[in-house]
Amino acid sequence: MISLQYGEATAADRAGILELSCISYASFAAQLAPEHRETLLRNQGDEKLLAVLMAEARTFICSTGEQLVGVVFLVPAGKATPVYPADWAYIRRLAVHPDFRRRGIGRQLMEMAIVQARAAGEKILGLHTSTLMPEARRMYDQLGFELVRELPVALGQQYWLYRMEL
């Protein structure tokens, strides 16, 4: 039986998170047109984008010994984007290694982020997902997220915005 450890990432985990993100999202990229595949993989492998995200977000990880197998980012309210209002905290880049999917890792990481958002006094937690990730959509529904609206097509895929009142 594999032992899973959950916790909060440090700067020392950055290289492992970058590698995990690339591996995890590569399985979804295979479903995209070549030009969109390249964009997705380039973004997931961008060290500068990851450094910015880790600087502004709480980063929760799951590992098996030295191998990172799951990650999720919780961005606090006050970081408005074209998708998220300034008064929303939001989830970014949930990733689970393909060899470790369907073991509850994504759900556990999401629950950690939800608990932390509540503890921090956040009022609304948002996230977005696409047609590439139907299993994630089901999990978000089960966790209590509500569909807000469709978002513009990106990477050739339909996206949806979800929110949870905390």
Side-chain angles (χ1 to χ4, degrees), residues 9 47 49 61 73 81 130 133 138:
E47 292 179 38
L49 287 177
I61 57 172
F73 300 89
T81 73
S130 76
M133 302 173 187
R138 280 191 290 278

Side-chain angles (χ1 to χ4, degrees), residues 32-136:
L32 297 174
E35 65 275 13
H36 299 309
R37 182 179 313 130
E38 291 172 19
T39 300
L40 178 67
L41 295 176
R42 183 175 51 253
N43 289 342
Q44 292 301 316
D46 188 316
E47 292 179 38
K48 291 180 183 175
L49 287 177
L50 178 60
V52 169
L53 184 56
M54 287 185 74
E56 69 181 16
R58 301 279 303 264
T59 307
F60 301 99
I61 57 172
C62 177
S63 61
T64 61
E66 297 296 315
Q67 182 184 8
L68 286 179
V69 297
V71 64
V72 71
F73 300 89
L74 170 63
V75 180
K79 311 282 185 187
T81 73
V83 174
Y84 302 107
D87 61 337
W88 287 24
Y90 52 92
I91 297 293
R92 290 293 315 274
R93 294 172 104 177
L94 174 62
V96 176
H97 192 289
D99 294 344
F100 290 85
R101 291 184 180 150
R102 299 202 173 278
R103 298 182 191 200
I105 293 169
R107 177 178 293 275
Q108 179 66 32
L109 289 168
M110 286 295 298
E111 289 173 354
M112 290 171 68
I114 293 166
V115 166
Q116 179 55 46
R118 284 187 176 125
E122 300 290 359
K123 303 296 182 217
I124 298 173
L125 182 61
L127 60 84
H128 69 277
T129 191
S130 76
T131 51
L132 292 173
M133 302 173 187
E135 294 85 8

